[in-house]
Amino acid sequence: MSDLKENLKAQIIEQLNLEDLTPADIQDDAPLFGDDGLGLDSIDALEFIVLLDSNYGIKIADPNEGKEIFQSVNTLAAYISKNQ
Amino acid sequence: MYFIQHIESITHQDSFQKDNIWNDLKPLTGENELISPDYKNYIPVAALRRLSTILRMGITASKACQEKVANEFDSISVGTALGCLTDTEKFLVTINTVSGDILSPTAFIQSTHNTISGQISLDLKNHAYNMTHTQNALSFEVALKDGLLCIDEGKNSVLVGAADEAIPFLERLRGSLIETEHPFTSGATFLVLSGEKGNSIACIQACEVYFTNENKATQVEQFLAANNCSFQDLDLILEAGSDFKSQAKKHYSFLKYSGFYQSASAFAVHMANDWLIKNGDDKTILIVNNLESNKLGLTLIHRNDVEA
């Protein structure tokens, strides 16, 4: 699971062009969206859907699920582990 | 008359926020890089990560103009020949190489030409008219004519600009689709125009575009005559090529200083404005955009304190 989280952080940085961040800057349980976390927005949510599809072969059928899945690296990793 | 209140350029010259660009203007070689300001001073970091060079240049030059003139723009008109090439290339490569049903949305959203004026409007929080014009090498002149029409309609502070970005792929088109001896470069020039003189030095007297392949010398003569002017009245000709060099008192090929991008005639307006600031005796400058053989763009720039 920890390898998956580290890979996810690197992929998030690359996919979202977070040039000023390193994987160490992203806490496992920190919120990804909103001002308290990384400050990601709705276009980033679309990029997450693409990331899950292209890197893990997971399609999110119900967009409403995204709010729960994309809360943090922890929730993303748990969803991937469960659905891959 | 359409008075130039302020003008900013981001190019391969040291041209951004300078008193006079002629102080450091040198002919470009293939080695000159784009001289970028620190974009973080103008664009939030969270937004900057998504923006390609053309959008960074356009937004930054626009914001610098906005800061200088303080009042909100009544319209925004931008010209671009090839648009957001970096994102277009990224999107097309993704289509060709990525398997799966879903494509990354960012490159697609930002690959369209109208992203430029739209993104500028969003960043300036400006809700007035905005339009991106694309007419190959005459894109800037068409945007300029749009801006002049806005002033004729009664708008007071009008932002007009042009931007294009170079990508390595353009080199593969050299000699086939694009004929030029100049290096491919990126550049953005934005100017604020007003119907009121204010503190301006120069004004746009007239701008015209010709999409027909007629005799260019005749077209230039007719354009000058329509504006009560002749070759003898011109103190300087700024031209993409050198067709009118023999008829000019002074002549510069602006592509030698801008490098090749199809909306570089916008940078020639910056050269003309600063030439009139630097050379107090000169009054009238003609910009000849004959970058494409079957098209012609003409812009007449005049010193304000002289009767046209």
Side-chain angles (χ1 to χ4, degrees):
Chain A
M1 187 66 124
S2 65
D3 282 352
L4 173 60
K5 288 177 188 174
E6 288 310 302
N7 286 340
L8 260 176
K9 290 175 187 177
Q11 288 160 359
I12 289 168
I13 288 168
E14 187 190 348
Q15 185 96 4
L16 307 185
N17 292 322
L18 300 168
E19 296 160 355
D20 294 334
L21 293 184
T22 66
D25 297 322
I26 304 175
Q27 302 301 312
D28 290 355
D29 57 353
L32 295 171
F33 292 83
D35 295 337
D36 296 335
L38 292 184
L40 304 183
D41 58 23
S42 56
I43 295 178
D44 295 313
L46 294 173
E47 292 286 2
F48 272 133
I49 292 171
V50 176
L51 188 151
L52 287 181
D53 181 39
S54 57
N55 291 22
Y56 300 97
I58 298 172
K59 294 186 196 309
I60 297 181
D62 180 4
N64 292 325
E65 284 184 301
K67 204 170 182 181
E68 301 297 323
I69 300 164
F70 303 149
Q71 271 184 4
S72 66
V73 169
N74 274 342
T75 57
L76 258 174
Y79 184 79
I80 292 167
S81 296
K82 189 179 164 190
N83 292 278
Q84 209 175 14
Chain B
M1 290 294 184
Y2 311 94
F3 299 98
I4 302 173
Q5 304 297 331
H6 190 66
I7 188 162
E8 291 286 357
S9 293
I10 298 171
T11 64
H12 290 233
Q13 299 281 348
D14 192 6
S15 56
F16 185 65
Q17 296 203 310
K18 296 291 168 187
D19 290 337
N20 196 304
I21 60 171
W22 284 93
N23 294 339
D24 295 306
L25 214 54
K26 297 179 187 71
L28 294 180
T29 67
E31 306 301 313
N32 296 92
E33 299 283 335
L34 177 69
I35 300 178
S36 300
D38 188 350
Y39 293 118
K40 288 176 187 167
N41 292 334
Y42 295 87
I43 303 169
V45 176
L48 195 59
R49 66 192 163 98
R50 287 204 193 103
L51 302 178
S52 59
T53 299
I54 190 170
L55 295 172
R56 291 176 179 207
M57 292 188 303
I59 293 166
T60 301
S62 301
K63 281 194 169 173
C65 285
Q66 176 84 86
E67 284 174 9
K68 197 70 182 178
V69 300
N71 52 335
E72 204 170 291
F73 301 127
D74 298 319
S75 67
I76 297 170
S77 302
V78 183
T80 182
L82 299 179
C84 305
L85 280 181
T86 303
D87 282 311
T88 300
E89 184 180 46
K90 197 184 291 181
F91 180 62
L92 292 175
V93 167
T94 306
I95 287 177
N96 279 332
T97 57
V98 173
S99 57
D101 300 332
I102 310 172
L103 296 171
S104 169
T106 305
F108 170 67
I109 292 166
Q110 296 187 167
S111 64
T112 55
H113 286 54
N114 62 325
T115 298
I116 304 171
S117 66
Q119 197 69 48
I120 289 168
S121 296
L122 284 170
D123 273 60
L124 293 177
K125 297 182 172 54
N126 186 300
H127 300 284
Y129 165 86
N130 77 76
M131 185 63 68
T132 306
H133 298 269
T134 180
Q135 293 288 348
N136 294 321
L138 296 183
S139 298
F140 167 66
E141 282 80 0
V142 172
L144 178 57
K145 282 179 73 72
D146 186 24
L148 303 187
L149 286 168
C150 285
I151 291 175
D152 290 344
E153 280 182 346
K155 291 183 170 63
N156 183 45
S157 185
V158 166
L159 181 70
V160 172
D164 270 293
E165 65 181 349
I167 58 172
F169 181 79
L170 290 179
E171 281 297 342
R172 294 170 63 176
L173 306 179
R174 191 188 287 278
S176 53
L177 285 177
I178 303 175
E179 293 281 355
T180 181
E181 64 193 85
H182 302 286
F184 291 115
T185 53
S186 303
T189 294
F190 282 76
L191 56 149
V192 185
L193 294 168
S194 172
E196 294 172 12
K197 185 177 172 184
N199 295 320
S200 63
I201 300 295
C203 60
I204 309 282
Q205 186 179 340
C207 176
E208 200 49 76
V209 292
Y210 303 87
F211 290 94
T212 53
N213 196 12
E214 292 173 16
N215 185 299
K216 286 191 169 57
T218 306
Q219 287 171 323
V220 172
E221 281 171 14
Q222 288 173 347
F223 171 77
L224 292 174
N227 289 286
N228 302 315
C229 194
S230 70
F231 276 108
Q232 288 72 37
D233 300 317
L234 300 176
D235 298 296
L236 171 67
I237 293 179
L238 296 168
E239 188 184 359
S242 55
D243 293 350
F244 296 94
K245 192 171 185 177
S246 61
Q247 287 150 286
K249 290 177 195 164
K250 299 187 197 83
H251 179 280
Y252 289 94
S253 167
F254 60 81
L255 289 182
K256 284 184 181 171
Y257 298 88
S258 63
F260 184 94
Y261 56 98
Q262 279 107 328
S263 56
S265 54
F267 184 62
V269 173
H270 199 161
M271 292 171 73
N273 183 73
D274 285 13
W275 178 275
L276 291 176
I277 293 171
K278 200 176 175 71
N279 300 279
D281 292 334
D282 287 352
K283 301 173 184 66
T284 310
I285 297 173
L286 177 67
I287 297 170
V288 181
N289 181 3
N290 48 1
L291 200 149
E292 282 185 51
S293 60
N294 60 344
K295 296 186 181 105
L296 183 65
L298 299 173
T299 307
L300 197 59
I301 314 267
H302 210 72
R303 179 180 294 282
N304 284 345
D305 53 0
V306 177
E307 283 298 315

